[in-house]
């Protein structure tokens, strides 16, 4: 066992010492709460909000130092992120309004902000994507995986997603690192936007599909490949497997056949296409 203990000790010597994940989760929960959760009357006081953001800036700066301990520009990284927040807030709030407009089950904006896992996943994606762009990639991945653990929706922070994005239900959605999604796109549960190849040597190339504007992708469809594009204004039906480009205004659907039995022990099958 001594050799095993030495191996573990060496691992801790060699690897970057990272903060406990609960500190990152606390930052995200506090940020989301201040921006989107109307859970305290005190949040209606501008002074309280200013103090909250000062606390959040301190928390974020500590995280930057934890993930890049030799970085002498942590204050600059913090400023970049918080300068981007007003735009991220507006974009994410518009996502919530889009979900409200598209989902008949949504009765109010408060319901979307407070209860919808799809909205939470989108909001955390917006934050983590900004952090990814600031080249704090491990921190961005840790934040995105927090949303994954809470919602079963996996959105890689490197993906590029346009405005007015809507996720309905959401469980089981996977959106890969090099996915590009346009504006006004709606995705249902179980959708995978993934790679045709998972070769490590292709890590730097576009491996995941492009979804253009005004597309709807229904439940459990799989769209794969970096050269695959779904043209604007298209509809992808449920359970579709797609590995090639389709033009704008396309409708792609999975064809089911139903066989009706009768009392004949050797019946001729009757097929109905739906």
């Amino acid at each position: 066992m001594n050799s095993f203990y030495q191996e573990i000790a060496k691992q801790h010597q060699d690897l970057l010492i990272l903060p406990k994940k609960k500190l990152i989760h606390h930052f995200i929960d506090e940020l989301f709460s201040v921006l989107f959760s109307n859970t305290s009357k005190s949040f209606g006081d501008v002074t309280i909000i200013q103090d909250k953001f000062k606390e959040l800036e301190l928390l974020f700066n500590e995280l930057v130092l934890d993930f890049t301990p030799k970085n002498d520009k942590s204050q600059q990284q913090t400023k970049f992120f918080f300068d981007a927040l007003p735009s991220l807030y507006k974009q994410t709030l518009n996502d919530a309004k889009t979900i409200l407009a598209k989902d008949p089950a949504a009765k109010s904006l408060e319901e979307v902000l407070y209860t919808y896992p799809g909205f939470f996943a989108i909001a955390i994606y917006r934050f983590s994507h900004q952090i990814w762009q600031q080249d704090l990639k491990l921190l961005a991945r840790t934040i995105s995986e927090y949303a994954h653990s809470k919602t079963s929706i996996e959105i890689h922070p490197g993906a590029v997603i346009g405005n007015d994005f809507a996720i309905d239900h959401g469980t089981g959605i996977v959106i890969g690192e090099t996915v590009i999604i346009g504006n006004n796109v709606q995705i249902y549960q179980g959708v995978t936007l993934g790679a045709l190849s998972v070769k490590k040597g292709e890590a730097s190339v576009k491996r995941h599909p492009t979804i253009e504007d005004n597309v709807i992708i229904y439940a459990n469809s799989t769209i794969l490949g970096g050269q695959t594009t779904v043209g604007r204004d298209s509809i992808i039906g449920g359970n579709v497997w797609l590995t090639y480009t389709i033009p704008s205004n396309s409708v792609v659907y999975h064809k089911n056949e139903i066989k009706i039995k009768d009392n004949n022990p050797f019946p001729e099958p009757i097929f109905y296409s739906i």
Side-chain angles (χ1 to χ4, degrees):
M1 289 296 289
N2 283 338
S3 62
F4 174 65
Y5 299 151
Q6 290 172 2
E7 182 180 351
I8 297 300
K10 186 175 186 307
Q11 174 182 281
H12 284 284
Q13 293 168 11
D14 293 343
L15 296 179
L16 179 67
I17 302 301
L18 297 170
K20 292 184 182 295
K21 289 183 179 179
K22 66 181 181 181
L23 298 176
I24 301 165
H25 300 171
H26 173 67
F27 169 75
I28 288 300
D29 288 340
E30 287 294 300
L31 179 61
F32 186 89
S33 177
V34 170
L35 293 177
F36 302 116
S37 295
N38 192 27
T39 55
S40 171
K41 288 185 179 180
S42 68
F43 287 171
D45 187 319
V46 173
T47 303
I48 297 295
I49 293 298
Q50 289 174 334
D51 290 342
K52 277 286 185 182
F53 272 98
K54 288 178 183 176
E55 293 174 11
L56 288 167
E57 287 178 15
L58 289 173
L59 286 172
F60 187 81
N61 194 62
E62 290 176 9
L63 292 176
V64 172
L65 288 171
D66 284 334
F67 278 86
T68 55
K70 297 180 180 179
N71 187 351
D72 59 356
K73 298 181 179 178
S74 61
Q75 294 284 352
Q76 188 177 13
Q77 289 279 26
T78 300
K79 185 176 187 305
F80 283 157
F81 179 74
F82 282 88
D83 282 352
L85 263 187
S87 176
L88 293 173
Y89 169 75
K90 182 178 180 180
Q91 187 179 28
T92 308
L93 192 60
N94 283 337
D95 294 325
K97 292 176 180 177
T98 298
I99 293 171
L100 176 62
K102 290 178 180 292
D103 185 359
K107 302 300 188 289
S108 67
L109 184 61
E110 290 88 348
E111 181 182 2
V112 175
L113 297 178
Y114 193 70
T115 70
Y116 271 51
F119 172 71
F120 183 81
I122 293 169
I124 302 312
Y125 156 75
R126 300 283 187 206
F127 303 148
S128 64
H129 180 67
Q130 173 64 34
I131 294 168
W132 181 269
Q133 289 182 309
Q134 292 179 212
D135 204 31
L136 297 168
K137 290 186 165 48
L138 183 53
L139 176 57
R141 285 287 281 147
T142 308
I143 289 171
S144 68
E145 282 305 309
Y146 179 48
H148 183 195
S149 70
K150 287 178 69 73
T151 65
S152 295
I153 299 167
E154 181 179 353
I155 308 177
H156 195 288
V160 177
I161 301 177
N163 297 321
D164 303 317
F165 184 48
I167 289 176
D168 201 335
H169 302 296
T171 304
I173 284 176
V174 177
I175 298 175
E177 177 184 2
T178 61
V179 165
I180 298 174
I181 296 176
N183 298 321
N184 192 36
V185 170
Q186 185 174 12
I187 295 180
Y188 286 77
Q189 70 272 17
V191 167
T192 296
L193 304 179
L196 268 173
S197 172
V198 292
K199 294 178 181 177
K200 190 68 174 179
E202 296 183 0
S204 62
V205 303
K206 190 177 187 306
R207 309 181 305 282
H208 306 93
T210 295
I211 312 298
E212 294 185 347
D213 297 347
N214 310 319
V215 169
I216 301 174
I217 307 174
Y218 284 101
N220 300 314
S221 285
T222 299
I223 304 173
L224 305 177
Q227 302 305 309
T228 302
T229 297
V230 175
R232 60 181 298 125
D233 301 301
S234 292
I235 297 174
I236 308 298
N239 299 301
V240 163
W241 176 275
L242 188 64
T243 59
Y244 53 86
T245 292
I246 62 168
S248 299
N249 297 294
S250 297
V251 178
V252 183
Y253 62 94
H254 178 75
K255 185 176 180 181
N256 293 319
E257 292 184 326
I258 300 174
K259 177 182 176 182
I260 306 298
K261 297 187 294 183
D262 61 23
N263 294 326
N264 186 336
F266 303 103
E268 291 292 326
I270 302 172
F271 294 103
Y272 292 85
S273 296
I274 59 172

